Amino acid sequence: MSRIIDKLAWIEIVDGKILVARSIGKNVFYIPGGKREPGENDDEALLREIDEELSVALLPASLEHFGTFEAQAHGQPLGVQVQMTCYWAKYTGTIQPAAEIEEVRWFNYKDKPLVSFVDRIIFDELQKKGLLS
């Protein structure tokens, strides 16, 4: 039986580089975001996760759906899929690691091997659209 992990992600690109984060003790980077709490919609979950992980406030009125992507979940048994629903959004504050986040970086397309499987698909999509350098 396959299982799907439902996650949300915030796409932030500056000068052809995408914001990624690495959790404490992990060896792979992820596009920032996380799982919803019971009863949360996409907006509520994404705003909460980004505030917790990066200490910035996404502006709810600026949220714009980018796409939903699915792949084998990194570090999970074969057949466990992650479904990542991605949004663009403007924000206020200064991006800095918080909670379980150990490091934030800005990646080019060539850094794709350093991110999770689903994020590699997202990198490909962003590259196709000419958004990643």
Side-chain angles (χ1 to χ4, degrees):
M1 183 182 130
S2 68
R3 193 167 73 93
I4 293 183
I5 299 169
D6 177 34
K7 293 185 84 176
L8 300 153
W10 173 44
I11 308 277
E12 175 65 5
I13 296 176
V14 176
D15 296 331
K17 295 181 180 181
I18 186 168
L19 178 69
V20 294
R22 186 177 57 78
S23 296
I24 295 166
K26 301 284 186 187
N27 63 354
V28 69
F29 286 84
Y30 297 89
I31 296 170
K35 298 179 207 148
R36 73 184 83 234
E37 300 286 337
E40 282 183 326
N41 65 28
D42 284 10
D43 296 11
E44 293 162 340
L46 192 58
L47 267 60
R48 177 187 50 75
E49 283 285 346
I50 296 304
D51 179 48
E52 288 174 4
E53 294 183 355
L54 302 175
S55 304
V56 296
L58 298 184
L59 304 176
S62 73
L63 281 171
E64 184 183 333
H65 183 256
F66 169 66
T68 302
F69 305 89
E70 195 171 303
Q72 168 66 35
H74 185 85
Q76 296 289 326
L78 197 60
V80 176
Q81 300 283 109
V82 63
Q83 178 180 290
M84 187 86 82
T85 305
C86 302
Y87 289 88
W88 303 103
K90 294 182 170 60
Y91 70 96
T92 59
T94 302
I95 294 170
Q96 56 190 11
E100 75 272 16
I101 302 303
E102 185 166 32
E103 181 181 7
V104 293
R105 304 244 312 260
W106 294 91
F107 276 8
N108 291 70
Y109 184 70
K110 68 174 174 43
D111 298 312
K112 184 174 97 165
L114 303 174
V115 300
S116 71
F117 302 125
V118 73
D119 288 357
R120 292 175 191 181
I121 295 169
I122 297 164
F123 271 46
D124 288 343
E125 188 64 24
L126 292 166
Q127 173 75 0
K128 270 195 281 191
K129 294 181 182 302
L131 298 170
L132 283 186
S133 58

